[in-house]
Amino acid sequence: MVVFPELTQLDLTGPYEVFCRMSDAEVLLIGAALSPMRSEFGLTFTPDVTFTDSPQLDVLFVPGGRGISDAMQSQPLLDFLRRQAATASYVTSVCTGALVLGAAGLLEGYRATTHWLSHDLLAPLGAIPVDERVVVDRNRITGGGVTAGIDFALRVVAHLRGDRAAQEIQLTIEYDPAPPFQAGSPKVAPRDLVEELTAKRRKVQDERRKLIQRITRKP
Amino acid sequence: MVVFPELTQLDLTGPYEVFCRMSDAEVLLIGAALSPMRSEFGLTFTPDVTFTDSPQLDVLFVPGGRGISDAMQSQPLLDFLRRQAATASYVTSVCTGALVLGAAGLLEGYRATTHWLSHDLLAPLGAIPVDERVVVDRNRITGGGVTAGIDFALRVVAHLRGDRAAQEIQLTIEYDPAPPFQAGSPKVAPRDLVEELTAKRRKVQDERRKLIQRITRKP
């Protein structure tokens, strides 16, 4: 599990909880250095190993968050992803982690998903956007925004250890969701709320779009 | 948000993600000391303040996990909970955090819920067990196991800031869950899986039951 400053902590901690409960799994936080990294709201994560010292991974995972703009331009991080993706069984992301995979060229021609606000940024990175909560295309598994990480991780466990193992974890973490409102996606949320949030986030999304244009420009 | 060693990190990080997105909220991790604490699978959390230095809180929150057995016997932690609960607007928990609230005497006569495996331990602590994902009784708000923390936290935000604020957070974290299996509660999971998991956890649950008998015994 790749970590970088200003990530969205639940993108990471949702799948982390599920992966850690899988039999015979070692879950590593992997970062540029071994010093604690601050996530968006202050929670810190300390990498277990660095990009340089990491073993070859079976599952490569990238979370999203505000910090992806820097992550998408970090050569050590992008090189690490490319190196690991060459041999990993699964190359995966949650939320805007997909844009980081895309920046590394790892979603070229793959069906993928990301946070709904960033869905239109998949195509400029060569991915085929799919409006589903979890998208599996060959060995790429991508999840939607933040909380999609739990659905995503259970799907990954089902691929790795079978349905029964995933079900046991689901029962252990009592994942029988009951959202108090119908507001979890732009398809079901009140229209004016979707518009308000989209407007609020326009500046960030425009900056991301420009960044992607810049990094995908052929020399 | 109270932290202690061997807590279940998603009990904490689910609500943390939601609470941090609330307007005008300061979210603090509060522990016995300022040193990093290891959660069940290794992720560490560093308290922002200690039990001694904490300000008076509007919302008091307790997560669950393997570490509750020690937490339920920690006088500094129980004293802190009692002191804060006397003035807090809301006294809350997720998962087996309810048993810690109960050990502090804070659920006496209150309707409450907890992780399904520990539901039968609520009554011995004086609480009235209710089989719902989130239970609100006066100013006590308790959530079920692990992932119930997200439903729980959105309910808390709705109480504090109104439905619209909770809906905006729900849309931002794309909480439109799509569990891959029907296995998230003993009511819907395959019967043999429920029995297998119950058997696997019997020893831990028996120990908790004995601990509760001991700490609730009148002198």
Side-chain angles (χ1 to χ4, degrees):
Chain A
M1 306 186 92
V2 170
V3 293
F4 49 82
E6 302 295 315
L7 59 80
T8 296
Q9 64 85 20
L10 190 53
D11 289 8
L12 179 82
T13 52
Y16 180 93
E17 189 70 39
V18 173
F19 290 162
C20 284
R21 292 176 184 276
M22 193 165 49
S23 60
D24 304 315
E26 186 184 12
V27 181
L28 296 171
L29 301 191
I30 311 175
L34 293 179
S35 42
M37 276 173 212
R38 189 188 179 281
S39 61
E40 279 172 345
F41 298 105
L43 212 59
T44 60
F45 294 95
T46 307
D48 298 302
V49 289
T50 64
F51 296 144
T52 319
D53 299 334
S54 170
Q56 282 301 121
L57 306 166
D58 296 317
V59 179
L60 176 64
F61 170 82
V62 185
R66 203 187 290 154
I68 60 155
S69 300
D70 286 337
M72 290 170 80
Q73 302 176 78
S74 160
Q75 277 315 314
L77 194 153
L78 298 176
D79 287 346
F80 172 77
L81 294 181
R82 292 185 191 114
R83 199 162 67 237
Q84 289 287 343
T87 55
S89 303
Y90 292 98
V91 175
T92 73
S93 65
V94 160
C95 200
T96 50
L99 306 185
V100 184
L101 287 182
L106 296 171
L107 290 182
E108 191 85 47
Y110 284 90
R111 300 166 77 245
T113 191
T114 185
H115 191 286
W116 65 270
L117 273 165
S118 287
H119 227 260
D120 62 337
L121 301 180
L122 286 169
L125 289 162
I128 302 152
V130 178
D131 188 13
E132 280 169 23
R133 196 149 170 91
V134 181
V135 173
V136 184
D137 184 359
R138 285 156 286 171
N139 80 334
R140 304 308 200 246
I141 309 183
T142 51
V146 195
T147 55
I150 300 170
D151 302 315
F152 152 88
L154 290 169
R155 291 281 295 274
V156 172
V157 170
H159 276 272
L160 290 168
R161 299 285 188 272
D163 289 0
R164 176 88 179 185
Q167 288 172 341
E168 183 174 336
I169 294 173
Q170 187 181 348
L171 183 56
T172 306
I173 62 171
E174 207 168 331
Y175 188 47
D176 185 23
F181 305 102
Q182 278 286 330
S185 92
K187 278 173 282 189
V188 300
R191 181 90 327 241
D192 61 327
L193 186 64
V194 176
E195 282 162 12
E196 191 188 308
L197 195 54
T198 306
K200 238 188 232 181
R201 291 287 295 265
R202 185 150 296 137
K203 191 164 163 284
V204 172
Q205 295 306 117
D206 283 348
E207 283 166 6
R208 280 185 186 166
R209 189 169 298 107
K210 279 180 204 148
L211 169 64
I212 289 171
Q213 281 168 357
R214 203 165 65 241
I215 62 179
T216 55
R217 196 175 298 147
K218 297 289 176 286
Chain B
M1 306 186 91
V2 169
V3 293
F4 48 82
E6 302 295 315
L7 60 80
T8 296
Q9 64 85 19
L10 191 54
D11 290 6
L12 179 81
T13 53
Y16 180 93
E17 188 70 39
V18 173
F19 290 162
C20 285
R21 292 175 184 275
M22 191 164 51
S23 59
D24 304 315
E26 187 184 13
V27 181
L28 296 171
L29 302 191
I30 311 174
L34 294 179
S35 42
M37 276 173 211
R38 189 188 179 281
S39 61
E40 280 171 345
F41 297 105
L43 212 58
T44 61
F45 295 94
T46 307
D48 299 301
V49 289
T50 64
F51 295 144
T52 318
D53 299 333
S54 171
Q56 282 301 122
L57 307 166
D58 296 317
V59 178
L60 176 64
F61 170 83
V62 185
R66 203 188 290 154
I68 61 156
S69 300
D70 286 338
M72 290 169 80
Q73 303 176 78
S74 160
Q75 277 314 314
L77 194 153
L78 298 176
D79 287 346
F80 172 77
L81 294 181
R82 291 184 191 115
R83 201 161 64 237
Q84 290 287 343
T87 56
S89 304
Y90 292 99
V91 175
T92 74
S93 65
V94 160
C95 199
T96 50
L99 306 185
V100 184
L101 287 183
L106 296 171
L107 290 182
E108 192 84 50
Y110 285 89
R111 301 166 75 246
T113 192
T114 186
H115 191 286
W116 65 269
L117 273 165
S118 287
H119 228 262
D120 62 336
L121 301 180
L122 287 169
L125 289 163
I128 303 151
V130 179
D131 188 13
E132 281 167 24
R133 195 146 171 93
V134 181
V135 174
V136 184
D137 184 359
R138 288 155 284 170
N139 80 335
R140 303 311 200 243
I141 309 182
T142 50
V146 197
T147 56
I150 300 170
D151 303 315
F152 152 88
L154 290 170
R155 291 282 294 273
V156 172
V157 171
H159 277 272
L160 290 168
R161 298 285 188 273
D163 289 2
R164 176 87 177 183
Q167 288 171 342
E168 183 175 334
I169 295 172
Q170 188 181 347
L171 183 57
T172 306
I173 62 172
E174 207 168 332
Y175 188 47
D176 185 24
F181 306 102
Q182 280 284 330
S185 92
K187 279 172 282 189
V188 299
R191 181 92 323 244
D192 61 328
L193 186 63
V194 176
E195 282 163 11
E196 190 187 310
L197 195 54
T198 306
K200 237 187 232 184
R201 291 287 295 266
R202 186 151 294 139
K203 191 162 164 286
V204 172
Q205 295 305 119
D206 284 348
E207 283 166 6
R208 281 186 186 166
R209 189 169 298 107
K210 279 180 204 148
L211 169 64
I212 289 170
Q213 282 168 356
R214 201 163 69 240
I215 62 178
T216 55
R217 195 175 298 147
K218 298 288 176 287

